[in-house]
Amino acid sequence: MWLELIGFSHNVTAAIVGIFSVSSAIGGLLGGRLGDLAARAFPNAGRVMLAQFSSGIGIPFGAIVLLVLPYKSSTISGVEHGVILFLTGLLMSWCATGTNKPIFAEIVPEKMRTSIYALDRSFESLLASFAPTVVGLLAQHVFGYVSSSQNGQTPDVRNAKALGKALFVAYGIPFVACCLLYSILYWTYPRDRARVQPMYEQHQGTIHGTTEDSLKPGYCGIVEVNAKQEEATQAIPLTEIQGEVTDTLESGSSKETAINVIPTK
């Protein structure tokens, strides 16, 4: 609606919105990769800094699109809007894939992970549902948006400016709050990760070696266990095992070898 009030046709408006959607999709993929790189370089702060950059960069880009670019529907103006919105979508879509979901995967117990992802999506959608109402109230009662029924014709440029200001306020303030709230993770994220790390290590270190899923069909696993509970795995065909499988103990050694036949599908 804002783009059409400026004077862009339906086709140009659809193209600009499509450019923004495509760039947001690419940005999500890019954000996931950059989040992994940031986490390797700065394990305690990399993902948090990435989210703060992504949410913070949207504010100046939004100001350029909604407040600075000229309110006219020329070809040059259409290209300018398309380029700025492409960069905006590319850079401000990193929070979910680069920070939120990876952190959930690290600190949330596996049995609760699906519920946390669902809660995150529902909470974000709930807050976003108030945006159209807020924009409408701000545009009409604060920035002077005038409906067509009042003057017989809609003053498009005036209404476009009013709607642009309302859009910027309605998303700029929450983005500032989002960027600031991510700062809390500098203290909570390392502490939460350190708290759950021993549980993951204990769970993964309980039984190592070959499982049914790691074997090819028709194979069984041989697990060697020494005094320190270190295990090595080797897969051999079932056809090479003849007779009854027994446990053997090497004389004069603390190493015990147990041959376990694991049925596979």
Side-chain angles (χ1 to χ4, degrees):
M1 179 180 179
W2 173 74
L3 290 170
E4 291 183 349
L5 284 175
I6 294 176
F8 292 116
S9 65
H10 298 313
N11 292 335
V12 174
T13 298
I16 294 175
V17 174
I19 288 172
F20 178 74
S21 300
V22 171
S23 66
S24 298
I26 299 174
L29 181 63
L30 178 63
R33 177 59 177 166
L34 292 177
D36 292 340
L37 295 176
R40 293 192 188 101
F42 307 98
N44 292 331
R47 294 193 185 277
V48 184
M49 291 189 294
L50 183 82
Q52 288 188 310
F53 171 82
S54 182
S55 57
I57 200 67
I59 299 171
F61 273 100
I64 293 173
V65 172
L66 297 170
L67 305 178
V68 177
L69 292 182
Y71 280 75
K72 58 182 181 180
S73 58
S74 63
T75 302
I76 296 177
S77 179
V79 173
E80 291 174 343
H81 281 80
V83 170
I84 298 298
L85 284 174
F86 179 85
L87 294 175
T88 303
L90 188 68
L91 298 177
M92 62 179 286
S93 54
W94 299 351
C95 294
T97 57
T99 303
N100 298 354
K101 293 180 180 178
I103 287 181
F104 288 155
E106 281 189 278
I107 67 176
V108 176
E110 185 175 355
K111 62 181 180 181
M112 298 177 57
R113 202 165 292 162
T114 305
S115 300
I116 293 299
Y117 286 139
L119 179 63
D120 173 61
R121 293 300 306 154
S122 62
F123 183 70
E124 184 175 345
S125 301
L126 176 64
L127 293 179
S129 66
F130 292 99
T133 302
V134 172
V135 170
L137 292 174
L138 288 174
Q140 187 169 1
H141 297 289
V142 177
F143 298 111
Y145 186 97
V146 180
S147 63
S148 58
S149 60
Q150 292 179 279
N151 295 333
Q153 61 180 358
T154 303
D156 289 344
V157 175
R158 175 183 173 181
N159 282 348
K161 290 182 178 180
L163 188 57
K165 293 176 182 177
L167 286 168
F168 179 72
V169 171
Y171 106 96
I173 294 177
F175 263 64
V176 171
C178 175
C179 186
L180 294 177
L181 287 173
Y182 269 116
S183 300
I184 301 175
L185 291 180
Y186 287 118
W187 291 273
T188 61
Y189 172 48
R191 183 180 60 193
D192 291 340
R193 189 183 58 191
R195 184 174 58 193
V196 301
Q197 191 67 27
M199 292 188 293
Y200 283 139
E201 292 178 354
Q202 181 180 5
H203 175 71
Q204 295 175 359
T206 301
I207 299 179
H208 293 292
T210 303
T211 62
E212 180 178 351
D213 294 334
S214 64
L215 289 174
K216 297 179 180 179
Y219 279 69
C220 71
I222 295 181
V223 182
E224 287 187 344
V225 185
N226 61 18
K228 296 183 180 180
Q229 300 299 320
E230 296 177 350
E231 302 171 353
T233 304
Q234 178 184 3
I236 63 174
L238 283 172
T239 54
E240 295 183 11
I241 299 179
Q242 299 179 357
E244 182 180 358
V245 179
T246 60
D247 295 341
T248 62
L249 181 64
E250 297 180 4
S251 59
S253 173
S254 61
K255 179 180 293 186
E256 179 180 352
T257 303
I259 302 180
N260 301 324
V261 179
I262 305 175
T264 60
K265 297 180 180 180

